Amino acid sequence: MKYLPFLLIPALAFADGPKDNLADNVRPIPPLGVEVPEADAKPLIQGLAELRSAIDAAAKAQAKNPKLADLLPDVEVFYKAVDWALKYNQINKLTELKAAAETLAEGKLRAEQLKKGEHPWTTQKGLVVRAYRSKIDGSIQPYGLVIPESYSGAATRLDVWCHGRGETLSELAFVDQRRKQTGNVSPANAIVLHPYGRYCCANKFAGEIDLFEALAHAKKFYNVDEDRTIMRGFSMGGAAAWQFGVNYSDQWCAISPGAGFSETPEFLNVFQTEDVSKVPSYEKTLWRWYNATDSAVNLFNTPTIAYSGEIDKQKQAADIMERYLKEEGIDMIHLIGPQTAHKIHPDSLIEIEKRLADIAALGRNRTPEEIHFTTYFLRYHKMHWITVNGLEESWERARVHARITGEKEVTLTTSNVTALSIDMPAGHSPFSVKEAPVVKIDGKEITAPKPKSDRSWRVHFRKQNGQWAQVATAQEEGKLAKHHGLSGPIDDAFMDSFLHVSPTGMAMNEKVAVWTQAEMERAAFEWQRQFRGIAPSKADKEISDADIASSNLILWGDPKSNAMLARIIDKLPIEWTADKLVANGKTYDVKTHAPVLVYPNPLNPQRYVVINSSFTYREYDYLNNARQVAKLPDWAIVDLAQPKTSRAPGGITDAGFFDESWQWKKGK
């Protein structure tokens, strides 16, 4: 295959502009494609049928192959790419029909190879399209690899490259791109992984998990050097690199964001001329999820090289990060492309690659002597050998400063933290296995257990009556509390396996029934469009114990119409009957109000239940990636007398966060 030349100018461009500030006139994202003539569609439809048969035959022939679950998506992705482009009207130019035919041909070739137990694409050099089946919704998600000719199976550096905004970046367009274009970067002797990121969400939410699922899949076939994994991207991909950089700092050897945005409010003001001062306070609080500025100190141990074009408006992203890092005492390297707009200057790229090569030569330090960590909720709970297990109050800043201060001493200073662990994996404890280290935590000295013979060391601490104490477990057993994987808000439930549960009974009243039905249908429709999967769904009476054990349950309807909701309503913090709705001590007209909330499932407190909500940003927010943030907290009351809009499911009468024990916040 002939590869296209190395490109410095991103192929994917922003489409934002003044018209995208009009919430009452929102254009569709993704846009509708062109009409495909019947004569062109017919052979593609026939090709899809043939590919489907070939996939089924390969799956049957290789049913006992232990690698089938990891290999079959590599074939199925070619079917999905063409099928979805036709089914959902996402052929954006008739010239894409040639790509569709080529995609089908490669899918058929792989299917025939797999049927014989062969999979030569897993040892192919150069451009390789791969795919995995997501744990979130069972969907096939593509990613691309560039495998260097030098790859021999030895541990190899890997660079992640997050793509820019592409409103027309369907699976077909992405697969075709990853078959033909090397991309913006091609460092010597390194693998480059190009995540699809679930389309155009700036790698947030399910798009965030996409990267780690793609990496996990790739590591089954390639020897990735985990101490030389680098996070990179430009434009929307630069924004992704910033948020991956601060929220998973200990995973990377280095990060190198270019352009994009690094927070929501100032960027929307500068780039979109949008006034966000009047958005609700809970929404401003939720900006902390993806505001890299708020967690800038997490880059303390992560080498960071930022890039901007001198005359690019998106230079603002690195400028504001430079300011916030300066406040933490860190001077940021910010390379500037002279007189350059929204592209990577070739001289700057040479300098970036040189610096990254120098950093990669040393690799990541897995056990640094000093750690600075900040978080706002427990989705992000870990930094190197420190794990935060409990907060005094989520969404307020929590900090841990950890240092190895002697041959057998660790000193910790914390704020807004109630529980934490020190966890050094095998081989990484610097302490003698014969002596018990002393942990000084906020001034209190605690003698901890000795490291184990494999040089691992794990110890847990929790505040008890305001004083730190060593405890046996990271979490208090039998106590309902916010923790990693169960911290809220509503959007957190859609970053793991979920299942929509539809009602089969008669509703309490017609207005609520009509609203919940419309929101349920919209949720499925928008999940397909924005996160490129089919939302799993079952009727309420079909839910099994296995479903309760494995998935977050998204319950639609009310306690009369939904049998699953009826089973648990008495154990939820709301009162919802045919006569009234009571939430946070307030009573609402049940005929015109409905609750949305996330809460630990009373039938399985390690999973969520969500009532009457999908992901919470809506059509207006699709128009600019900086708007694609959580819009509702743990709970809200929706006034159905007010119309739903491109920003909200109706009037939001009240909304807020539960406390750390999943109870109503007192006085709030």
Side-chain angles (χ1 to χ4, degrees), residues 5 12 28 39 53-54 75 83 124 216 282 311 326 342 377 380 560 563 585 606 650:
L12 306 174
S53 295
V75 186
D83 180 50
Q124 179 180 322
Y282 56 79
I311 56 174
K326 189 79 171 179
H342 195 59
F377 75 132
Y380 309 118
K560 184 180 177 185
Q606 297 308 307

Side-chain angles (χ1 to χ4, degrees), residues 70 223 386 406 528 542 596:
D70 291 319
N223 189 357
I386 290 293
Q528 181 276 318
E542 297 175 355
V596 299

Side-chain angles (χ1 to χ4, degrees), residues 392-667:
E392 292 177 8
E393 185 173 4
S394 294
W395 301 105
E396 295 298 326
R397 185 172 192 172
R399 296 194 70 155
V400 178
H401 181 200
R403 293 172 294 152
I404 297 172
T405 48
E407 291 184 359
K408 58 176 183 177
E409 181 182 274
V410 173
T411 301
L412 307 177
T413 304
T414 75
S415 61
N416 194 30
V417 175
T418 60
L420 59 79
S421 301
I422 297 174
D423 190 355
M424 297 180 179
H428 286 269
S429 169
F431 304 119
S432 169
V433 295
K434 288 188 173 184
E435 296 187 77
V438 172
V439 177
K440 297 180 178 180
I441 180 166
D442 293 334
K444 182 172 182 178
E445 293 191 14
I446 300 173
T447 301
K450 295 181 293 183
K452 300 298 184 182
S453 62
D454 64 351
R455 270 59 178 176
S456 65
W457 187 43
R458 178 182 296 174
V459 59
H460 308 294
F461 302 95
R462 187 176 302 121
K463 277 187 175 180
Q464 297 177 337
N465 299 318
Q467 296 293 315
W468 285 104
Q470 183 197 335
V471 293
T473 59
Q475 302 295 331
E476 288 189 74
E477 295 181 6
K479 181 180 179 180
L480 192 63
K482 288 187 172 182
H483 58 79
H484 177 66
L486 206 76
S487 60
I490 292 169
D491 290 86
D492 194 57
F494 298 91
M495 297 175 75
D496 204 341
S497 173
F498 71 88
L499 180 61
H500 283 196
V501 182
S502 58
T504 58
M506 184 70 69
M508 289 178 179
N509 67 77
E510 184 178 359
K511 193 174 189 68
V512 173
V514 169
W515 177 81
T516 56
Q517 180 67 27
E519 284 296 291
M520 181 176 67
E521 292 173 358
R522 178 192 172 277
F525 176 69
E526 295 297 349
W527 186 263
Q528 181 276 318
R529 293 208 307 163
Q530 303 308 316
F531 290 112
R532 316 307 292 174
I534 302 300
S537 179
K538 276 189 176 183
D540 52 2
K541 294 180 180 179
E542 297 175 355
I543 299 301
S544 66
D545 289 343
D547 295 326
I548 294 169
S550 64
S551 297
N552 299 322
L553 300 184
I554 317 304
L555 307 181
W556 299 95
D558 62 39
K560 184 180 177 185
S561 66
N562 192 304
M564 279 302 301
L565 186 49
R567 285 179 63 181
I568 64 172
I569 189 64
D570 290 343
K571 296 180 176 64
L572 298 179
I574 59 172
E575 182 181 353
W576 194 7
T577 68
D579 300 318
K580 62 181 178 180
L581 171 63
V582 181
N584 198 21
K586 300 177 183 178
T587 301
Y588 301 91
D589 184 349
V590 75
K591 294 180 181 180
T592 56
H593 292 80
V596 299
L597 62 85
V598 64
Y599 199 76
N601 186 346
L603 303 177
N604 176 15
Q606 297 308 307
R607 290 285 187 176
Y608 290 117
V609 290
V610 174
I611 296 179
N612 292 329
S613 184
S614 181
F615 65 96
T616 61
Y617 66 85
R618 294 172 81 94
E619 290 82 352
Y620 176 70
D621 308 306
Y622 306 162
L623 302 177
N624 188 294
N625 298 113
R627 294 181 187 143
Q628 291 173 317
V629 292
K631 300 296 179 179
L632 292 175
D634 295 345
W635 63 271
I637 301 299
V638 183
D639 181 357
L640 309 185
Q642 298 184 42
K644 63 179 64 178
T645 69
S646 64
R647 287 179 158 179
I652 304 301
T653 301
D654 200 3
F657 299 91
F658 292 113
D659 69 12
E660 300 311 299
S661 299
W662 285 100
Q663 302 301 310
W664 302 111
K665 286 191 174 184
K666 296 179 180 179

